[in-house]
């Protein structure tokens, strides 16, 4: 009977040898995102080649040093991160932006549009919850309206659309209604064809947020201003983390099937087996070890 630890050693060795032989010379645009190793406790960061859609580096954590560790891992496998990288799409707004210029001096950083919109939409629900507690009248107006605000206007049912029209900020002066308008304005910004047509629209939106009475939107505006260049570079490079979002679902299915992993190394091994697009045809050592 073969012990599980021996099987993991064989798999890990096969993955390491395949990665050492892998050709990363075509890496030009990379995307970086995080995913949970354990629910709400432990995270890993994944770097993927956006052009050929493969995982190329994985590190534990999503802290400030995660980007540096990913770049070091990529450099170890025949490709320095400073040599030819032209695009870097990132999942988050904080950790992955720190040190990006030093680690990837020639890469243009861009923030994925999905997460910019998500940042603002997530800020609207606390506004609704707080406003409902302010008076019985507001509680009555906002009762059962959570998805009226979170869904795009074209996705609303007739009943939900009628409710939103009833709670228009010009009629009710609800802060939640104004926050929702700001979310729609941000989505309109992303409907622009290119960076030039987007122009100063993000700054005008941030100015509106900062002069509003909605504290949560002011916090969002500060983040958007800090990340202005990364947001506008989304049009310049067209980089997107949509592939990484798909990877995340695969990674989580791997974790669920295994009922979790005791070791981060086992988790990384499985991710590279499923998503690394590695070539195992020359694994002679592994074949000999199993006989």
């Amino acid at each position: 009977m073969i012990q599980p630890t021996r099987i993991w050693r064989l798999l890990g060795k096969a993955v390491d040898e395949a990665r050492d032989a892998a050709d990363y010379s075509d890496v030009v645009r990379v995307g970086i995102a995080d995913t949970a190793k354990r629910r709400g406790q432990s995270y890993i960061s994944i770097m993927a080649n956006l052009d050929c859609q493969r995982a190329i580096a994985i590190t534990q954590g999503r802290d400030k040093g995660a980007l540096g560790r990913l770049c070091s891992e990529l450099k170890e496998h025949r490709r320095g991160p400073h040599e030819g990288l032209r695009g870097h799409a990132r999942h988050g707004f904080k950790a992955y932006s720190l040190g990006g210029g030093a680690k990837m001096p020639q890469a243009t950083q861009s923030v994925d549009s999905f997460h910019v919109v998500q940042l603002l939409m997530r800020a609207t629900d606390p506004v609704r919850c707080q406003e409902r507690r302010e008076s019985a009248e507001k509680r009555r107006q906002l009762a059962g309206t959570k998805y009226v605000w979170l869904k795009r206007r074209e996705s609303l049912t007739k009943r939900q659309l009628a409710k939103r029209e009833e709670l228009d900020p010009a009629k009710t002066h609800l802060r939640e209604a104004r926050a929702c308008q700001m979310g729609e304005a941000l989505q309109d910004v992303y409907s622009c064809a290119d960076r030039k047509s987007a122009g100063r629209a993000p700054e005008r939106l941030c100015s509106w947020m900062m002069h509003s009475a909605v504290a949560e939107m002011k916090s969002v505006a500060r983040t958007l201003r800090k990340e202005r260049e990364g947001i506008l570079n989304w049009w310049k490079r067209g980089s997107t983390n949509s592939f990484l979002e798909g990877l995340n679902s695969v990674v989580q299915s791997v974790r669920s099937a295994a009922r979790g992993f005791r070791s981060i190394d086992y988790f990384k091994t499985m991710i590279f087996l499923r998503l690394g697009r590695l070539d195992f045809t020359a694994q002679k050592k592994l074949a000999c070890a199993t006989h």
Side-chain angles (χ1 to χ4, degrees):
M1 178 178 177
I2 302 178
Q3 295 297 320
T5 53
R6 178 172 173 76
I7 296 175
W8 280 116
R9 284 199 300 270
L10 291 173
L11 288 174
K13 186 175 182 179
V15 167
D16 289 342
E17 290 181 358
R19 292 191 67 215
D20 288 339
D23 182 11
Y24 291 149
S25 61
D26 62 343
V27 177
V28 175
R29 296 188 310 144
V30 297
I32 301 174
D34 58 75
T35 188
K37 175 179 175 287
R38 295 179 181 174
R39 186 181 295 274
Q41 297 181 14
S42 179
Y43 290 84
I44 61 172
S45 297
I46 303 175
M47 175 184 284
N49 185 344
L50 295 178
D51 293 315
C52 66
Q53 299 187 343
R54 64 189 296 195
I56 57 177
I58 301 172
T59 189
Q60 187 169 6
R62 55 176 183 178
D63 54 283
K64 296 178 182 179
L67 180 59
R69 294 194 298 274
L70 289 170
C71 289
S72 297
E73 185 173 335
L74 179 59
K75 186 176 182 180
E76 290 175 1
H77 291 83
R78 300 186 177 184
R79 181 70 181 190
H82 57 285
E83 300 172 0
L85 283 179
R86 298 197 302 269
H88 163 209
R90 47 191 165 87
H91 176 282
F93 292 95
K94 296 180 181 179
Y96 296 141
S97 65
L98 298 174
K103 300 297 180 181
M104 303 178 179
Q106 297 178 359
T108 299
Q109 296 188 52
S110 62
V111 182
D112 188 58
S113 59
F114 171 81
H115 293 95
V116 177
V117 175
Q118 185 184 60
L119 174 71
L120 195 148
M121 298 308 294
R122 282 183 173 177
T124 62
D125 201 46
V127 177
R128 179 186 60 84
C129 294
Q130 180 180 354
E131 198 165 18
R132 287 188 66 218
R133 295 192 290 267
E134 293 178 357
S135 68
E137 175 63 19
K138 289 185 177 180
R139 185 161 55 250
R140 182 192 63 79
Q141 290 177 318
L142 293 169
T145 63
K146 177 178 180 178
Y147 295 103
V148 169
W149 309 112
L150 293 179
K151 293 168 64 176
R152 292 179 63 92
R153 185 176 291 271
E154 58 267 23
S155 301
L156 296 174
T157 64
K158 290 183 178 180
R159 184 176 180 179
Q160 289 173 330
L161 185 59
K163 185 66 174 179
R164 183 180 291 193
E165 294 296 338
E166 177 187 335
L167 299 179
D168 186 271
K171 302 176 183 176
T172 61
H173 303 289
L174 289 170
R175 295 197 305 278
E176 173 68 3
R178 290 199 295 275
C180 183
Q181 277 190 329
M182 295 171 190
E184 291 178 338
L186 179 60
Q187 292 171 350
D188 289 340
V189 171
Y190 277 107
S191 67
C192 296
D194 50 41
R195 176 173 176 151
K196 183 177 180 180
S197 60
R200 292 182 53 82
E203 179 57 34
R204 289 195 295 269
L205 176 59
C206 288
S207 179
W208 177 20
M209 292 178 179
M210 292 301 294
H211 287 86
S212 71
V214 188
E216 291 81 358
M217 294 298 107
K218 293 181 180 181
S219 177
V220 172
R222 286 190 286 269
T223 300
L224 296 182
R225 279 178 168 170
K226 182 180 178 181
E227 299 288 351
R228 180 179 180 275
E229 286 303 310
I231 291 171
L232 291 177
N233 283 338
W234 179 83
W235 280 276
K236 183 177 181 181
R237 292 294 182 185
S239 297
T240 174
N241 274 8
S242 58
F243 166 64
L244 282 176
E245 292 303 316
L247 284 188
N248 183 60
S249 64
V250 176
V251 169
Q252 291 308 310
S253 69
V254 169
R255 187 194 73 175
S256 299
R259 301 298 188 270
F261 291 91
R262 296 177 59 184
S263 167
I264 184 66
D265 292 328
Y266 297 167
F267 197 20
K268 290 173 62 175
T269 295
M270 290 305 300
I271 293 173
F272 280 123
L273 282 173
R274 291 286 300 274
L275 305 169
R277 294 193 175 187
L278 299 174
D279 182 6
F280 295 97
T281 57
Q283 299 297 308
K284 296 181 180 179
K285 293 182 180 180
L286 178 62
C288 294
T290 57
H291 291 284

